[in-house]
Amino acid sequence: MSASRPTTDTGFPPWRRDLGPGWSVALRTWATHRSLPRLPGLVAGILASCWISTLRATPASAQVESVIRVEVREAGTERPLGDVQVEVVGGALAPVWTGSDGMAVLRGLPPGSHTLRARLQGYESATRGVEVLNGVRRDVSLRLQPRPVELEGLQVEARGAPEGARILDPDGLGPEARTLADAVERLPGVDVIRRGGPGTPTVPTIRGSSGDQVLVLVDGVAINSPLTGEADLSQVTLDDVVRVMVVPGARAGRYGPGALAGAIVIETRSPDASTARARLETGSLGSWAFGGSATVARSRSDWRWSMGGEWSRTRGDFEYPVPEVRGGGMAIRDNADVEGASGWAETVWDPAAGPRLRLRVHARRVARGSPGTVVQPSLTGRNQERRLGALLQGDGGDAHRGWSAAVSVDRTDALFHDPEPPFGQPYRSESDVRQFGGRGEARLRWGAVDLEAGADGRLQDVTSTTLDVEAPGTVKGLGGWMRGRWAVTDRDRSLEVTGSLRTDLHDLLDGIVASPALSVLLGVGGTSFEATVGSSVSPPDISDLFFQEGVLARANPGLSPERVRGEVELRLRQEIRGVSWSGAVAVAAFRADVDGMILWFPDHRFVWSPTNVDVRRRGLEASGEIRAGRLTSLRGDVGWTRVEYAGTTPGGQVVYRPEFTADLAADLAWVGLDWTARWRWIGARRTSPGTSQNQLPGYGRIDAGVRRPFRLRGVGVSVELGVNNLLDDRASLLADYPLPGRTLTLRVRAGTPGA
């Protein structure tokens, strides 16, 4: 009798059946669901394989990832403390920092007894033992005493955040968040303008602002274009980011000109132990990406070295419905491919006593198709951008006084060309921008008073074929700032008064411009109330002042800076706690009128030109979050922002500023998987000033994801599936720039402990 093994009904040969129960289920799922698209069927099989393999094929004693949720509050007031460094004594994991809600998450801690330590400048450090069990989530609370002590041999880094700032930990995001734009978009008041599918430029706006009114800093260096004033978040790889802070309103004026509506402060990852991580990703629209990083830190050396990089490619073409006003029907968004590569290397000198130095070099290249608009699609337009830069940082000090300084150099060149445009003549536009920057600051703590002061400067050398011969070749800016904070605490009550002043001397500003701000915060128990008043400024963009005139378009060298004078914001926050749950609710109201917002309008001959227009801007924001049991987090926010023309210009909401936005997200731990779901609503937008005709209706998007973390031979592995636009809504944020429908992403991550 033959000893050969029979073939199963799936038709797979024996070598595939021998891969174990998990992979057998994966292949069987794929084979029996061939009516599904190939990618979703394969994704479902891989997720099933990871889950079943770990539940059935793995011994009960194998390690399953544990999750430790740490809550840090101020002793006496019970106020949540943000920016607290939480670490495992002994270095089993890299340290993490708490968010504005005082929460931090430690993942991948091996079973056994461990000691957690929390520390923050101006507070006594606190420790607590915790017993970690296999695959069990633990909640730990720590209280810090607000009494500054001298910490010998400890390098303290100032990571303070202004009140009202929103802090985001990218490591806590769900699988549906693919890019930095996806991450910041979930913060209250922040919207992102996209002009197409994955890989296209993504420009952030805050509270109904334009893109050039938001200053984006990466490790203290502005990435806003000197030509347009806008920042493209697609330049920054999400895996390289360790912390994102959004500072809305005039309180961001201390970061410099351009932060008229707020600032987004991004810190890149700088591991302090020997680690390695890798990521492989694929998905809809023909997208592939892989990246990784490695850090070498020797125990007997003060030096460590890191390097990393990423490559990605997206075919990009997708089907979209043509608006009825454009003829209706369906069309294909061709010439929407994107390919990019980036890399970085850094070295850090971090002695036990003395200043810390960090040198980081980075490079990025991206090539995109320029498909144009629905009205004028192009099959031959292309865009290429290259960026190369270096940053040298240093800092030192202790709990009472400290300093930091940095110098940076950056070069960006871009090429836009189309040999066969749908209308007009072939064009080729080139630009070359060199930027040199420097900054320094000092801090001092004296009793209940914190003092900070600093200065920064930037020199931009700009060459572009899109600019007129009258355009300046260089643009210089120099600024100085000071900030003082006085805080007193009495049992469950606290009072903080913070004042700041920034002065700027800039080639595109008239004389020296001052931007003051004052904030008062009162806390009673779990309730806090804050009132802020301030001013900020944003200079005109070079392209608005000096671009080469074209058909029916003309520059305006007489543009004035945009100013916000006397912005007022009131904010109320309430902590809520139950027997087995906790949370918080917050409400904010603001008025931030803009004098001289730069907008484009046609004259009586239909010649378009930028002009200064006064705008009245006001709004309300409400947000809340609940944490309970398996429900890791349930959070939501709603915003109403009215941005109206003032004076003799057309009335009504400024174009493309949605009046209503809402966001609801949930994180759930269930059956060994991490589940996330998010719904976002974008309200109706006007497309023409002064009229509601051709108004774009509001639309909603649902994004969801599931993650299965496990360990394989001591290496942490995570298999993730993300679904964007789950209901396949084909609405667009901007007219004539369609967005893709439902997309899937499969991602596999791996990393050594601490990565």
Side-chain angles (χ1 to χ4, degrees), residues 80 266 288 296 313 381 451 615:
I266 301 168
W288 285 91
V296 177
R313 183 179 65 188
L451 298 176
V615 170

Side-chain angles (χ1 to χ4, degrees), residues 638-658:
V638 60
W640 171 78
T641 304
R642 189 66 178 166
V643 188
E644 296 181 299
Y645 299 99
T648 59
T649 56
Q653 188 87 340
V654 176
V655 295
Y656 291 129
R657 268 62 164 189

Side-chain angles (χ1 to χ4, degrees), residues 660-700:
F660 293 98
T661 58
D663 197 283
L664 180 63
D667 298 328
L668 177 67
W670 182 54
V671 295
L673 301 174
D674 296 332
W675 304 81
T676 62
R678 176 174 177 258
W679 170 77
R680 181 165 179 80
W681 171 261
I682 300 293
R685 287 89 61 217
R686 295 187 179 218
T687 60
S688 303
T691 176
S692 59
Q693 293 184 354
N694 300 328
Q695 178 173 272
L696 296 179
Y699 71 94

Side-chain angles (χ1 to χ4, degrees), residues 163-185:
E163 288 295 333
R166 293 81 184 257
I167 299 175
L168 180 71
D169 176 13
D171 290 336
L173 296 174
E176 78 285 358
R178 297 180 55 186
T179 65
L180 180 61
D182 295 336
V184 302
E185 193 178 36

Side-chain angles (χ1 to χ4, degrees), residues 2 37 94 113 155 163 215 286 345 347 356 377 402 544 605 622 634 658 721-722:
S2 174
S113 299
Q155 180 66 47
E163 288 295 333
L215 183 65
T347 180
R356 171 181 178 270
D544 290 337
R605 295 171 299 175
L634 176 64
L721 172 65

